[in-house]
Amino acid sequence: MSRRALRRLRGEQRGQEPLGPDALQFVLPDDDDAEEEGPKQGSGGRRPGGAGKEGVRVNNRFELINIEDLEDDLVVNGERSDCALPDSVSSGNKGRAQRGNPEAKQDEDEAKAGFPEQSNASGKLRKKKKKQKNKKSCTGESSENGLEDIDRILERIEDSSGFSHPGPPPLNSRKHVLYVEHRHLNPDTELKRYFGARAVLGEQRPRQRQRVYPKCTWLTTPKSTWPRYSKPGLSMRLLESKKGLSFFAFEHNEEYQQAQHKFLVAVESMEPNNIVVLLQTSPYHVDSLLQLSDACRFQEDQEMARDLIERALYSMECAFHPLFSLTSGTCRLDYRRPENRSFYLALYKQMSFLEKRGCPRTALEYCKLILSLEPDEDPLCMLLLIDHLALRARNYEYLIHLFQEWEAHRNLSQLPNFAFSVPLAYFLLSQQTDLPEHELTSARQQASLLIQQALTMFPGALMPLLECCSVRPDATVANHRFFGPDAEISQPPALSQLVSLYLGRSHFLWKDPTTMSWLEENVRAVLQAVDAGDPAVEACENRRKVLYQRAPRNIHRHVILSEIKEAVAALPSDVTTQSVMGFDPLPPLDTIYSYVRPERLSPVSHGNTIALFFRSLLPNYTTEQL
């Protein structure tokens, strides 16, 4: 049993023993603290570090108790930190005051003798608090100094390379609109809100203890059933940083390029088993995972299709550049590069699975993420979908804010989905009872104003909407020339495609009887304005003829990915006649290739005559001399 335990059993406290003539000599011959914390010091108070400190006499035997803390202080940039300097100065002042005033020392000894236990306990408590405070201040100051040094290093790198620091720019409205929240990228967060944490995480906890993966990811949760992860040769590099934006690009090394060439051969063979064979050797090849996911989805194996998409996202997230941020809204990926398209398509397919799974809030965050990667070009045309997800997630404020911020430079009101969804968001917001009365009235008025503008601009959308909602229109409305059959027939094909896309996706949001009553009131108001000869009616008709001549390529790409039958049927013939690959639908005409697929010898001449005849009927058939 140690001496400290014996003293405690006897009821003795350290510092209560009578002070002798040599008690003020700073000597620790057989102290238990010295036995536990380090080697014993020499006799006579000799410190092992220097001979010049022999026989140090002090008036307070506990004055030098923090010397070891001062010696072990943090060192920042080769210099000793000064964070413990105030304590040493105060202790020195205290010692000088005690040496200069012996009466005060005598009063203090008497007080300690009268209340030994309280003074000793309070002294220990004060020393512990002082040590903790010193450690916290040292850590805080050292971390601040470290951050300042990192900033200086980054500034020097920026000056030498010409790159601007790719950190987040000052908060502005566009960044706020595209900002993605990490916690909403996980569908379990939304499912917990519906079913509770016990129901969602009950089966996942045992599996999470067994898996060992090299990296924690935000987009997906790795599963123990997946193949062991090894780097497939996919990486990301920073191209440039300017105006607060950082431009990145995925890269394929030679090994990954060989797998990509084998994948293209497997696709041309029209045999899914060849892709399965390729995934056995390259289990994290992204395009193979995307293509096989589509094959599983066509065979109604939704669970396997979703699992393959999650594995593709995990493979790409492990290849992220350290400066690439999913949530800041300032990182860009050029869709013209084939290596980047896989990430767009994987995010889109994962978003579709989340929406079908009943997680519209999580799907909205994925939609914002895809839009933030290239908001100006919007290669997958996410503006045709983001309003639908915001309404399904009941995030009406976000949809209204997005419309207010982007209407000036993107003309969102000229898209049928925004023209009808924004007033619907205002109306649903006015139905909430937890808002003040003046806000509810203002929202209702704004909703009526915007829906009348939408009906005036897109009259051909009313009758198909009522038909989708199984509502029989009033005879006055059905027979009127403005909303009659001529309105739907006379609109341009590109506009018909946008209307079909919106109604096929969002018509069920209008089926509520309260919403239908509000829509009926505004339809009658529009008919009165038309009969009164409102000049806005003619202006909207002229605008429809000019704006919707032909839909751009990104809208066609979005329609193909959406797989909405009404919208796909409205695609032009030049799009439907060309081959569309699931891993790269309608690639951009100005594609930027970083490497070219090597030419390979065609196996045509080695086939039989019948196969040669049928292959010669293909439009891309060419004869090759072997």
Side-chain angles (χ1 to χ4, degrees):
M1 184 178 296
S2 64
R3 296 183 182 182
R4 179 185 298 176
L6 289 175
R7 283 199 302 267
R8 289 179 180 175
L9 289 175
R10 294 171 185 171
E12 299 176 0
Q13 297 288 340
R14 239 170 47 170
Q16 296 183 22
E17 60 271 16
L19 297 177
D22 299 329
L24 297 180
Q25 180 74 20
F26 190 72
V27 180
L28 299 176
D30 292 321
D31 198 359
D32 294 330
D33 294 333
E35 293 177 2
E36 296 176 3
E37 296 178 2
K40 294 182 180 180
Q41 295 180 351
S43 60
R46 184 182 303 274
R47 296 176 60 87
K53 295 183 180 179
E54 295 181 358
V56 177
R57 293 179 177 271
V58 293
N59 292 330
N60 183 5
R61 65 181 302 185
F62 301 108
E63 181 180 347
L64 301 179
I65 198 70
N66 291 328
I67 285 182
E68 293 183 359
D69 294 339
L70 292 175
E71 291 178 351
D72 296 334
D73 202 358
L74 295 175
V75 178
V76 180
N77 295 331
E79 298 180 1
R80 187 176 298 273
S81 174
D82 297 329
C83 58
L85 184 60
D87 294 335
S88 62
V89 173
S90 62
S91 62
N93 293 337
K94 182 178 178 182
R96 287 194 295 271
Q98 291 175 353
R99 286 193 297 270
N101 193 355
E103 297 178 0
K105 173 66 178 178
Q106 183 178 0
D107 295 338
E108 182 179 356
D109 293 339
E110 292 177 357
K112 286 184 178 180
F115 306 98
E117 296 180 359
Q118 295 181 3
S119 62
N120 192 28
S122 61
K124 288 184 178 180
L125 183 61
R126 283 195 299 270
K127 290 170 186 174
K128 288 182 179 179
K129 289 183 177 179
K130 185 180 293 183
K131 287 184 178 181
Q132 293 177 357
K133 184 177 180 181
N134 291 341
K135 291 180 180 179
K136 289 181 180 179
S137 62
C138 292
T139 306
E141 292 182 7
S142 61
S143 62
E144 291 177 0
N145 294 334
L147 291 176
E148 291 177 359
D149 295 337
I150 293 174
D151 292 337
R152 293 195 202 99
I153 293 173
L154 290 176
E155 288 177 0
R156 287 197 295 268
I157 295 175
E158 174 185 345
D159 296 337
S160 61
S161 62
F163 286 167
S164 62
H165 183 57
L171 184 64
N172 52 33
S173 59
R174 179 174 292 193
K175 175 184 179 296
H176 179 70
V177 167
L178 297 179
Y179 184 78
V180 179
E181 299 183 27
H182 267 143
R183 62 190 183 96
H184 288 305
L185 288 174
N186 187 359
D188 292 340
T189 304
E190 188 171 4
L191 293 175
K192 288 176 189 176
R193 212 166 56 236
Y194 299 150
F195 307 107
R198 186 183 298 273
V200 175
L201 299 179
E203 298 180 357
Q204 296 181 7
R205 287 169 183 168
R207 282 185 271 174
Q208 288 180 354
R209 294 193 194 103
Q210 299 174 2
R211 62 179 177 86
V212 178
Y213 280 86
K215 185 176 181 181
C216 179
T217 55
W218 290 103
L219 295 177
T220 58
T221 302
K223 300 179 181 179
S224 58
T225 57
W226 290 356
R228 183 177 182 85
Y229 178 80
S230 60
K231 293 184 178 180
L234 188 66
S235 61
M236 178 186 283
R237 68 185 178 98
L238 175 63
L239 298 179
E240 62 176 346
S241 297
K242 59 182 180 181
K243 298 180 181 179
L245 301 177
S246 302
F247 297 85
F248 296 87
F250 283 97
E251 287 186 331
H252 299 167
N253 65 1
E254 295 183 1
E255 180 182 357
Y256 198 94
Q257 291 178 18
Q258 295 296 329
Q260 187 72 12
H261 300 329
K262 294 179 182 178
F263 164 73
L264 295 176
V265 174
V267 170
E268 292 176 355
S269 67
M270 305 295 291
E271 180 59 44
N273 291 331
N274 294 337
I275 301 178
V276 175
V277 173
L278 176 60
L279 284 176
Q280 292 177 355
T281 57
S282 302
Y284 287 92
H285 183 258
V286 177
D287 286 342
S288 299
L289 294 170
L290 297 179
Q291 190 71 15
L292 188 60
S293 174
D294 288 340
C296 294
R297 187 165 52 86
F298 293 150
Q299 296 177 2
E300 301 299 330
D301 191 354
Q302 301 293 332
E303 187 68 25
M304 177 59 70
R306 184 169 67 246
D307 185 80
L308 293 172
I309 294 298
E310 291 179 356
R311 200 201 301 181
L313 284 174
Y314 179 77
S315 176
M316 304 198 80
E317 189 171 359
C318 289
F320 280 175
H321 191 277
L323 298 178
F324 184 80
S325 173
L326 290 171
T327 60
S328 64
T330 60
C331 297
R332 300 289 183 262
L333 285 175
D334 194 349
Y335 192 80
R336 295 176 298 174
R337 297 179 179 272
E339 298 86 353
N340 295 340
R341 296 175 201 163
S342 302
F343 188 56
Y344 278 90
L345 296 174
L347 290 175
Y348 186 93
K349 294 178 185 296
Q350 176 72 351
M351 177 192 63
S352 301
F353 283 123
L354 290 171
E355 183 186 3
K356 295 176 182 177
R357 192 180 175 186
C359 301
R361 184 66 181 86
T362 311
L364 176 62
E365 293 300 314
Y366 272 82
C367 185
K368 290 161 57 178
L369 174 58
I370 298 172
L371 183 59
S372 68
L373 295 178
E374 199 170 358
D376 295 330
E377 298 296 332
D378 195 8
L380 299 186
C381 214
M382 303 310 297
L383 288 178
L384 299 178
L385 176 62
I386 192 170
D387 61 299
H388 169 75
L389 296 175
L391 289 175
R392 285 202 57 190
R394 299 181 180 180
N395 199 347
Y396 311 128
E397 294 85 356
Y398 174 77
L399 177 58
I400 294 172
H401 181 58
L402 174 64
F403 178 76
Q404 292 174 349
E405 293 293 337
W406 282 25
E407 168 62 17
H409 65 280
R410 299 297 291 268
N411 294 326
L412 298 182
S413 59
Q414 305 306 311
L415 296 174
N417 58 310
F418 268 93
F420 283 91
S421 293
V422 173
L424 180 60
Y426 272 111
F427 175 74
L428 295 176
L429 196 62
S430 67
Q431 299 297 110
Q432 299 180 358
T433 58
D434 56 345
L435 295 178
E437 186 64 28
H438 67 279
E439 292 186 9
L440 298 179
T441 304
S442 175
R444 181 67 177 262
Q445 293 175 355
Q446 189 69 13
S448 300
L449 175 63
L450 292 177
I451 193 61
Q452 292 178 19
Q453 294 178 0
L455 291 171
T456 305
M457 183 66 189
F458 307 105
L462 178 63
M463 300 305 294
L465 175 60
L466 297 178
E467 182 179 356
C468 291
C469 297
S470 302
V471 175
R472 179 177 297 180
D474 186 71
T476 306
V477 178
N479 298 329
H480 198 280
R481 59 177 179 83
F482 190 71
F483 289 118
D486 294 339
E488 184 178 358
I489 296 174
S490 61
Q491 62 186 2
L495 180 57
S496 300
Q497 183 177 350
L498 293 176
V499 171
S500 300
L501 182 67
Y502 172 69
L503 296 180
R505 177 179 282 154
S506 305
H507 65 87
F508 64 91
L509 298 174
W510 295 82
K511 287 187 175 182
D512 186 71
T514 307
T515 305
M516 274 296 167
S517 301
W518 165 72
L519 179 63
E520 182 181 1
E521 296 175 3
N522 291 278
V523 168
R524 296 187 181 278
V526 171
L527 287 179
Q528 293 177 3
V530 172
D531 295 337
D534 190 349
V537 177
E538 184 179 358
C540 290
E541 183 178 359
N542 295 332
R543 201 180 308 160
R544 285 195 301 271
K545 295 178 181 179
V546 174
L547 294 179
Y548 306 99
Q549 295 295 327
R550 179 176 174 82
R553 194 173 181 85
N554 60 341
I555 292 181
H556 294 160
R557 190 181 297 118
H558 178 87
V559 170
I560 293 173
L561 290 173
S562 66
E563 298 180 355
I564 297 177
K565 296 179 181 180
E566 298 84 358
V568 173
L571 286 172
S573 58
D574 60 339
V575 176
T576 56
T577 54
Q578 60 179 306
S579 60
V580 178
M581 297 296 178
F583 68 94
D584 191 9
L586 295 183
L589 301 178
D590 54 348
T591 299
I592 301 176
Y593 294 101
S594 58
Y595 62 92
V596 182
R597 179 184 178 186
E599 295 182 359
R600 65 187 185 91
L601 299 179
S602 176
V604 172
S605 58
H606 298 282
N608 55 28
T609 307
I610 299 178
L612 179 60
F613 170 72
F614 282 108
R615 288 181 179 272
S616 64
L617 298 178
L618 297 176
N620 58 351
Y621 172 78
T622 57
T623 58
E624 296 180 2
Q625 296 180 358
L626 301 179

